[in-house]
């Protein structure tokens, strides 16, 4: 067994010095044993398991219960369910995709506990596509050597999983707070987690800023794709969980490994916001990547051609685009015919036709776009972070499963498996008498803010900076430019507050922009530090993988003054045996 993450126990004075978002003092509060922040597959699974263990559980979510990233997942959920497949084979494919940075024990947990976790999901009410004999239909995706992707509704797997879990949550009568943006972590005078502050956006029984007091907090807030101009992530994916964890003193790891999905519907060079995904399962069923001349350019680049791991396919597309000075490539699946498109990929077919493209009769224009954060809040094998009482699972977490590049369709499975482990750990802590926390002292809004909020328009500036400097193609020059520009945004807001006491007004737009700047600074700092190409981190100026120097993890903490402390682990082991002490600050 790998060692657990050691926990910090800072003194009360240090706790009060932690940065937090400038916001009104909480005007209402509720109490629970557990508060789960997020309502995707990870959050709702954790909540259902905690409730089943007898824990009073509250689910807080930023929009409606089914508005997170889970319902947008098209391809499916990977698990060794097919005849002849084994967890060991699934492990091997995951380790290869992770490019030397997966934690093998974390992956072994995933693949060995995954099949039963999927069966429990089915017993919860999720319906997967089946064959004529009633067995689960399985497909292939990039990086998998076997058919092991279970899917629902053809290409609507996430929507079906979300439906089943939301119905289960409502049937069990779990308390939910929708339309609520989480702000900051509450801690008691011993440094333990004691709940969260949040802002409810004018709907339901609560309004404005309030607090949920709970000795266990589970972050399941999803990703940070909105840090880029073009992403497959919904508009709510602004890195709120990672930013909260950083402000609370938690460590984050591997944030430089942002997976860009190779095949996102190309809507124009200036398209911004959430872009339609064209699932990897389309290639799994035999679609070909071609250039404008119809040439299959991935053949010969990898033994799996179009089904190589995502970083390899994204790089292949980008190289061909550069060679031909093209804005996109094409995905050709005309040979599927209308019936297969309509039954196997109805969601994608509808999205393409809505934008004037008919994949039955013409190739689909595609280009890479930001898709998934392989890194996040550092956890151990039970989902515990370096802050006592704070847990993380799903895309917000860095469990060590994904390494430098997530294997296709491992994300839903990771959310399932590690959410169940978190619930078991919290239930065990209560049985041992450890699930207690003092209610923290009331948080008064200071006369003047201690840290500035960014103006809402800063969001678009951050996205443009990140897209130019820290996208699929990176270099020391582009990353340093991005770091300097982000620091300028940070410094201008800080100086305006220091010199004349001015900052943007508290509100959802300003909190989201401030969170985006926080995670963008950390991502760029980690990408600058990793001077090699590995997985989905592609440095044009450091084109080779360097195991001797860089087969290790980058860990970042946020200081009380919001300075970044960036360091590397001594080995590839994840997580380190004790809290890492970064070697220098940036």
């Amino acid at each position: 067994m790998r060692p657990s993450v050691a926990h910090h126990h800072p003194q009360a004075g240090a706790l009060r010095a932690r940065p937090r978002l400038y916001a009104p003092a909480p005007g209402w509060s509720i109490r629970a044993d557990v508060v789960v922040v997020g309502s995707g597959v990870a959050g709702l699974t954790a909540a259902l398991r905690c409730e089943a263990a007898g824990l009073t559980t509250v689910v807080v979510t930023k929009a409606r219960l089914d508005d997170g990233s889970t319902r947008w997942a098209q391809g499916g959920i990977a698990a060794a369910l097919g005849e002849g497949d084994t967890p060991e084979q699934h492990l091997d494919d995951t380790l290869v995709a992770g490019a030397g940075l997966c934690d093998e024990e974390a992956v072994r947990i995933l693949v060995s506990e995954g099949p039963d976790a999927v069966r429990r999901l089915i017993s919860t009410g999720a319906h997967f596509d089946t064959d004529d004999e009633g067995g689960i239909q399985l497909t292939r995706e990039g990086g998998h050597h076997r058919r092991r992707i279970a899917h629902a509704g053809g290409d609507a797997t996430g929507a079906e999983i979300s439906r089943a879990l939301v119905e289960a949550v409502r049937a069990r009568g779990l308390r939910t707070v929708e339309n609520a943006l989480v702000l900051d972590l509450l801690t008691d005078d011993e440094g333990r987690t004691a709940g969260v502050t949040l802002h409810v956006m004018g709907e339901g029984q609560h309004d404005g800023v309030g607090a949920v007091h709970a000795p266990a907090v589970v972050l399941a807030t999803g990703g940070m794709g909105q840090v880029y101009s073009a992403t497959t992530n919904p508009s709510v994916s602004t890195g709120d969980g990672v930013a909260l964890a950083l402000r609370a003193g938690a460590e984050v790891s591997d944030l430089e490994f942002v997976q860009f999905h190779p095949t996102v519907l190309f809507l124009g060079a200036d398209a911004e916001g959430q872009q339609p995904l064209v699932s990897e399962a389309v290639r799994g069923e035999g679609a070909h990547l071609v250039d404008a001349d119809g040439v299959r350019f991935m053949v010969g680049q990898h033994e799996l051609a179009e089904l190589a791991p995502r970083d390899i396919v994204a790089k292949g597309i980008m190289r061909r685009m550069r060679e031909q000075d093209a804005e996109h490539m094409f995905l050709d699946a005309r040979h599927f015919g209308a019936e297969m498109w309509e039954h196997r990929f109805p969601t994608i077919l509808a999205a393409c036709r809505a934008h004037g493209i008919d994949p039955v009769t013409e190739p689909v224009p595609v280009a890479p776009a930001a898709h998934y954060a392989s890194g996040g809040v550092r956890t151990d094998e039970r989902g515990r972070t370096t802050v006592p009482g704070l847990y993380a699972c799903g895309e917000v977490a860095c469990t060590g499963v994904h390494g430098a590049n997530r294997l296709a369709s491992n994300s839903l499975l990771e959310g399932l498996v590690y959410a169940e482990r978190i619930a078991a750990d919290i239930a065990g802590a209560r049985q041992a008498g450890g699930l207690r926390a003092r209610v923290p002292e009331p948080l008064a809004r200071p006369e003047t803010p201690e840290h500035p909020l960014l103006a809402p328009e800063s969001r678009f500036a951050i996205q443009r900076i990140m897209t130019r400097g820290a996208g699929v193609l990176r270099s020391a020059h582009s990353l340093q430019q991005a770091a300097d520009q982000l620091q300028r945004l940070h410094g201008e807001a800080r100086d305006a507050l220091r010199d004349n006491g001015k900052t943007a007004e508290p509100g959802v737009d300003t909190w989201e922009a401030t969170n985006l700047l926080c995670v963008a600074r950390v991502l760029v700092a980690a990408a600058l530090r990793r001077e090699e190409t590995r997985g989905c981190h592609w440095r044009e100026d450091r084109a080779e993988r360097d195991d001797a120097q860089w087969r290790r993890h980058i860990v970042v903490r946020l200081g009380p003054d919001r300075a970044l402390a960036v360091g590397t682990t001594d080995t590839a082991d994840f997580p380190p045996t004790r809290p890492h002490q970064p070697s220098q600050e940036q």
Side-chain angles (χ1 to χ4, degrees):
M1 290 294 290
R2 66 178 177 176
S4 298
V5 176
H7 287 141
H8 297 293
H9 290 274
Q11 298 301 310
L15 286 168
R16 283 193 268 274
R18 295 301 314 171
R20 62 177 189 260
L21 291 174
Y22 181 51
W28 54 268
S29 67
I30 53 181
R31 298 203 66 165
D33 294 324
V34 186
V35 56
V36 177
V37 187
S39 60
V41 62
L44 295 188
T45 299
L48 286 166
R49 296 293 180 269
C50 285
E51 191 271 343
L55 298 161
T56 304
T57 305
V58 174
V59 177
V60 172
T61 190
K62 195 172 179 181
R64 298 190 307 272
L65 279 182
D66 62 352
D67 271 345
S69 292
T70 291
R71 76 181 177 101
W72 297 100
Q74 295 173 344
I77 185 167
L81 298 165
E83 184 177 350
D85 198 4
T86 64
E88 200 68 28
Q89 294 175 63
H90 189 183
L91 180 140
D92 289 344
D93 285 345
T94 301
L95 294 181
V96 169
L101 280 185
C102 295
D103 179 81
E104 187 167 337
E105 177 63 18
V107 179
R108 197 170 294 282
I109 288 168
L110 179 84
V111 299
S112 60
E113 298 182 9
D116 283 343
V118 172
R119 295 182 185 104
R120 283 189 289 273
L121 179 62
I122 292 170
S123 69
T124 302
H127 301 294
F128 289 93
D129 297 335
T130 55
D131 56 28
D132 293 339
E133 287 76 42
I136 297 175
Q137 283 186 350
L138 300 172
T139 190
R140 249 182 96 193
E141 290 185 356
H144 294 272
H145 282 80
R146 283 191 174 273
R147 286 182 170 262
R148 65 167 66 96
I149 316 300
H151 49 83
D155 59 357
T157 311
E160 170 57 20
I161 290 173
S162 182
R163 179 205 62 77
L165 290 173
V166 169
E167 284 190 8
V169 162
R170 288 177 173 151
R172 297 293 290 266
L174 265 73
R175 186 167 189 172
T176 60
V177 183
E178 296 181 277
N179 303 296
L181 171 64
V182 68
L183 298 174
D184 280 304
L185 189 73
L186 293 169
T187 50
D188 66 16
D189 56 7
E190 294 181 352
R192 287 194 54 84
T193 290
V196 292
T197 54
L198 62 156
H199 173 79
V200 181
M201 293 169 254
E203 298 184 29
Q205 66 184 99
H206 301 294
D207 191 10
V209 174
V212 181
H213 297 299
V217 171
V218 181
L219 292 179
T221 52
M224 58 183 73
Q226 290 291 324
V227 80
Y228 291 96
S229 296
T231 177
T232 63
N233 289 191
S235 60
V236 294
S237 298
T238 51
D240 307 318
V242 171
L244 174 149
L246 282 161
R247 286 193 297 272
E251 296 177 351
V252 303
S253 186
D254 297 359
L255 220 59
E256 69 272 29
F257 297 118
V258 177
Q259 188 176 81
F260 287 77
H261 198 289
T263 53
V264 176
L265 186 62
F266 181 76
L267 301 180
D270 297 326
E272 294 185 339
Q274 186 177 10
Q275 315 285 303
L277 179 66
V278 182
S279 169
E280 199 153 322
V282 178
R283 281 174 281 138
E285 296 291 354
H288 302 142
L289 279 167
V290 297
D291 61 20
D293 298 322
V295 176
R296 286 183 63 189
F297 55 87
M298 284 305 298
V299 174
Q301 290 199 38
H302 189 277
E303 59 166 336
L304 297 176
E306 285 95 349
L307 284 175
R310 287 178 177 175
D311 62 306
I312 293 170
V313 179
K315 291 170 188 175
I317 291 173
M318 293 299 294
R319 282 196 192 100
R320 197 65 155 199
M321 285 165 56
R322 286 197 301 183
E323 289 169 4
Q324 300 187 344
D325 194 25
E327 292 183 322
H328 60 82
M329 290 288 109
F330 293 93
L331 191 63
D332 191 352
R334 290 174 290 180
H335 55 285
F336 284 6
E339 184 176 354
M340 181 173 174
W341 266 110
E342 289 165 2
H343 288 90
R344 181 65 179 87
F345 301 111
T347 308
I348 299 169
L349 179 64
C352 289
R353 285 177 169 170
H355 289 94
I357 299 153
D358 189 349
V360 176
T361 60
E362 60 187 315
V364 178
V366 293
H371 182 56
Y372 191 88
S374 293
V377 185
R378 188 167 75 77
T379 73
D380 66 6
E381 77 281 359
R382 288 187 275 177
R384 299 179 299 185
T385 74
T386 53
V387 174
L390 179 65
Y391 296 79
C393 58
E395 189 173 355
V396 71
C398 186
T399 62
V401 159
H402 303 309
N405 186 38
R406 175 177 67 91
L407 182 65
S409 289
N410 268 355
S411 51
L412 292 175
L413 190 71
E414 184 197 34
L416 272 182
V417 168
Y418 281 89
E420 291 187 344
R421 289 185 142 251
I422 285 172
D425 191 73
I426 295 172
R430 188 178 73 161
Q431 290 174 355
L435 194 66
R436 293 192 303 271
R438 297 184 181 90
V439 175
E441 297 174 16
L443 284 175
R445 177 176 174 173
E447 296 270 334
T448 56
E450 298 164 331
H451 300 281
L453 295 175
L454 265 66
E457 57 269 22
S458 299
R459 176 176 184 144
F460 305 107
I462 294 164
Q463 290 171 336
R464 287 190 289 270
I465 290 167
M466 293 297 289
T467 299
R468 284 196 303 266
V472 179
L473 303 177
R474 305 168 177 180
S475 67
H477 177 69
S478 75
L479 289 166
Q480 190 60 59
Q481 276 193 322
D484 292 344
Q485 291 165 343
L486 294 171
Q487 183 59 35
R488 192 174 304 121
L489 284 175
H490 176 74
E492 287 171 354
R494 180 196 59 212
D495 294 347
L497 177 61
R498 182 193 62 204
D499 296 341
N500 54 35
K502 288 186 177 180
T503 188
E505 281 297 311
V508 173
D509 290 345
T510 57
W511 290 322
E512 285 186 335
T514 304
N515 284 340
L516 283 171
L517 179 61
C518 177
V519 297
R521 291 176 64 221
V522 174
L523 194 163
V524 169
L528 262 173
R529 176 65 65 91
R530 184 172 292 280
E531 296 178 346
E532 64 159 355
T533 289
R534 182 186 297 271
C536 50
H537 173 66
W538 187 9
R539 285 279 296 260
E540 292 182 280
D541 56 329
R542 303 280 184 168
E544 301 302 319
R545 173 169 155 177
D546 183 357
D547 280 350
Q549 294 295 321
W550 290 108
R551 191 162 177 252
R552 57 192 68 199
H553 301 275
I554 293 174
V555 178
V556 184
R557 290 183 297 113
L558 189 70
D561 59 353
R562 298 203 179 193
L564 301 182
V566 185
T568 58
T569 59
D570 294 330
T571 70
D573 291 342
F574 186 92
T577 56
R578 53 191 171 80
H580 177 66
Q581 300 300 318
S583 58
Q584 70 179 81
E585 295 194 353
Q586 292 187 353

